[in-house]
Amino acid sequence: MRKRRRFLPVFVLLCALSFFVTAAVRARIDPLVRALAVATVDDAASNQITDAVNRLIADGNIRYGDLITLEKNDTGTVTALTTNMQEMNRLKNRLLSELDQEIYKIDENRISIPLGNLTGTELLSGHGPEIPVRIISVSSSDAAFKGEFTEAGINQTLHRIMLEVSLDLLILLPTGTVQDHVTSDLCVAETVLLGPVPGSYTNLQINEDAGKDAGE
């Protein structure tokens, strides 16, 4: 009986010590795991967005002439650019619908984290047991078209149609969940305009209108 009484305080002390050591290790490791998980998912999700947009372009679904109508005067100078918001919204909805499905198909092995990466040592990077990382939900997704103008030579202007895609993801880790926000800007169509930028378009109306429609 006396031995049991002597052992009990030692047992309690060992349990308390084990608890504090585990808590200290977790407090140090958790931020590293979360940071690596977010960076890994960002890279994988950005690649998925790029692949989805490239498929739309390759299938002929995104063409400059379908998105923008050029109005010219008798000399052939572009005087106005009109955006086709119906076509832009159709493409946006199709892309987001595809991404909402494809994002879950990212291979877990592709976004798992080797334990050696937590050491910060290049020699151990990519080695050791894998820490599982899984995307469990897309809480929101959005896309907006923007216009960009850059000089392309003497009396020439390059007009690009950019697509900004953003995803809010929930990532599952062994230690809990973490939220992530992924944004990608991609050029989906472009053309060279002869002459000055049309005055009715210098304020990038496409950016303002597209953002407004996307929010609706």
Side-chain angles (χ1 to χ4, degrees):
M1 181 67 70
R2 289 182 179 178
K3 289 183 178 181
R4 290 183 179 179
R5 288 180 179 177
R6 291 177 182 176
F7 177 74
L8 185 59
V10 175
F11 176 75
V12 172
L13 181 61
L14 290 175
C15 287
L17 182 61
S18 176
F19 172 80
F20 284 115
V21 169
T22 301
V25 171
R26 181 170 180 176
R28 178 177 176 79
I29 295 299
D30 271 5
L32 295 176
V33 173
R34 288 171 178 265
L36 283 173
V38 167
T40 305
V41 169
D42 281 356
D43 184 60
S46 295
N47 289 337
Q48 198 77 5
I49 292 172
T50 301
D51 291 343
V53 171
N54 286 339
R55 283 196 297 271
L56 288 178
I57 295 175
D59 292 341
N61 290 291
I62 302 181
R63 293 179 295 185
Y64 185 91
D66 295 332
L67 303 177
I68 302 293
T69 300
L70 303 179
E71 297 181 19
K72 302 180 180 180
N73 60 17
D74 296 337
T75 63
T77 301
V78 177
T79 57
L81 284 78
T82 305
T83 60
N84 184 344
M85 294 309 305
Q86 182 177 358
E87 179 65 11
M88 288 184 175
N89 284 328
R90 183 189 71 82
L91 289 171
K92 184 193 84 168
N93 292 333
R94 177 173 176 178
L95 173 64
L96 294 180
S97 177
E98 183 174 334
L99 282 176
D100 285 344
Q101 300 298 323
E102 293 293 327
I103 204 71
Y104 295 108
K105 296 180 181 179
I106 296 178
D107 188 358
E108 290 182 27
N109 293 327
R110 180 179 163 191
I111 57 175
S112 58
I113 303 172
L115 192 60
N117 288 18
L118 298 178
T119 64
T121 304
E122 187 175 349
L123 183 63
L124 299 177
S125 181
H127 298 284
E130 300 284 340
I131 299 174
V133 177
R134 186 162 65 92
I135 298 173
I136 57 177
S137 72
V138 180
S139 57
S140 68
S141 59
D142 197 9
F145 286 92
K146 300 184 296 183
E148 288 187 356
F149 293 99
T150 57
E151 292 185 4
I154 299 176
N155 205 32
Q156 293 182 343
T157 302
L158 176 64
H159 181 217
R160 287 179 173 173
I161 305 298
M162 306 295 295
L163 182 61
E164 181 182 72
V165 184
S166 59
L167 302 173
D168 287 320
L169 309 174
L170 189 63
I171 305 169
L172 178 63
L173 300 171
T175 56
T177 59
V178 60
Q179 293 182 332
D180 186 22
H181 181 74
V182 181
T183 302
S184 290
D185 281 312
L186 302 167
C187 177
V188 297
E190 63 181 19
T191 193
V192 174
L193 305 176
L194 299 179
V197 177
S200 62
Y201 204 73
T202 52
N203 291 327
L204 299 186
Q205 295 170 354
I206 182 176
N207 188 10
E208 300 171 359
D209 294 342
K212 186 185 302 182
D213 284 331
E216 295 173 357

